[in-house]
Amino acid sequence: VQLVQSGAEVKKPGESLRVSCSASGYPFTDYWIAWVRQVPGKGLEWVGTIYPGDSDTRYSPSFQGQVTLSVDTSVTTAYLHWNTVRASDTAIYYCARKSASYTPWGQGTLVTVSS
Amino acid sequence: DIVLTQTPLSLPVTPGEPASISCRSSQSLLDSDDGNTYLDWFLQKPGQSPQLLIYTLSYRAPGVPDRFSGRGSGTDFTLKISRVEPEDVGVYYCMQRMEFPYTFGQGTKLDLK
């Protein structure tokens, strides 16, 4: 089982952004995938989770309306999307698969938003 | 949202000695329907992604050494390390998945004396 995330991104405020999480080694549609944010040097925050089988999605209220979770089952990949990024979105974003709990985790994607 | 409060936030430990981290929840994490307590523990080693140690209160994840154990009930939980090894250095987080949004404790940084 492996989750491989897309590489680091540098964006300007107001730009759009998509981060990907490519899954392999298991039936992609059978397991929830979660996204977690970590501001550098700070703790972990739950962004939301999506079930690839039917795209059922749950967002943390702090992130509802700010990001969109989606999947493409044809390429066994989950996505975290922003229409408009802000400086406060600067963080490392992790994806993780839910089995008994959340394992494994992707390697993380550093997103830097700066003018 | 359920709030998890960890103590201590910093934990210096001598290798070979035991260590204990507390996590207190603002609500019970016991699911009365299935009897499970949805409290997990993760370790984030320096420069790495978090890794699962303990799930559903007391079950060790595959490959986790038996020096790690989780216990507690309702709203009070403890992660115990029977003998700290150098590779145990990092930040430990508790996480509840009793209800959405799932939430994490602030983290406890364990380092060696």
Side-chain angles (χ1 to χ4, degrees):
Chain A
V1 177
Q2 195 173 17
L3 300 178
V4 178
Q5 298 184 227
S6 50
E9 299 272 3
V10 179
K11 292 290 185 180
K12 290 182 167 46
E15 292 183 332
S16 64
L17 172 64
R18 190 178 75 170
V19 171
S20 67
C21 171
S22 176
S24 61
Y26 72 95
F28 180 66
T29 55
D30 289 357
Y31 294 83
W32 289 81
I33 288 185
W35 290 90
V36 174
R37 182 174 83 173
Q38 185 171 40
V39 173
K42 302 297 185 183
L44 303 173
E45 300 174 88
W46 191 265
V47 174
T49 187
I50 186 166
Y51 186 68
D54 60 6
S55 292
D56 185 13
T57 308
R58 316 284 172 88
Y59 293 94
S60 169
S62 301
F63 293 91
Q64 179 84 47
Q66 308 304 310
V67 298
T68 303
L69 305 186
S70 64
V71 296
D72 184 340
T73 57
S74 68
V75 291
T76 63
T77 299
Y79 300 99
L80 173 60
H81 180 260
W82 292 257
N83 285 329
T84 305
V85 295
R86 302 178 291 190
S88 56
D89 294 320
T90 295
I92 300 171
Y93 293 85
Y94 295 100
C95 61
R97 187 196 79 159
K98 183 179 184 299
S99 51
S101 179
Y102 288 89
T103 188
W105 292 54
Q107 82 276 22
T109 297
L110 174 61
V111 172
T112 304
V113 182
S114 175
S115 55
Chain B
D1 298 2
I2 294 176
V3 177
L4 299 181
T5 303
Q6 289 183 230
T7 55
L9 299 184
S10 178
L11 183 57
V13 183
T14 300
E17 293 296 304
S20 179
I21 299 170
S22 172
C23 176
R24 178 164 292 178
S25 174
S26 61
Q27 299 174 213
S28 175
L29 303 184
L30 171 64
D31 187 329
S32 57
D33 290 336
D34 62 16
N36 288 322
T37 299
Y38 290 104
L39 189 282
D40 304 332
W41 291 95
F42 295 87
L43 165 60
Q44 187 173 30
K45 296 183 178 182
Q48 296 186 19
S49 303
Q51 60 187 82
L52 177 67
L53 294 176
I54 303 288
Y55 64 95
T56 317
L57 182 64
S58 60
Y59 296 92
R60 272 189 303 277
V64 174
D66 61 8
R67 64 179 181 273
F68 290 93
S69 63
R71 62 183 63 179
S73 63
T75 60
D76 288 289
F77 310 99
T78 303
L79 176 71
K80 290 187 183 294
I81 310 173
S82 58
R83 295 174 308 279
V84 171
E85 300 286 342
E87 61 265 30
D88 299 337
V89 164
V91 181
Y92 291 79
Y93 295 94
C94 56
M95 185 195 83
Q96 67 80 20
R97 49 188 175 88
M98 178 66 187
E99 65 178 40
F100 286 113
Y102 296 168
T103 48
F104 294 92
Q106 319 96 297
T108 295
K109 185 175 183 180
L110 184 150
D111 57 17
L112 302 180
K113 284 183 181 175

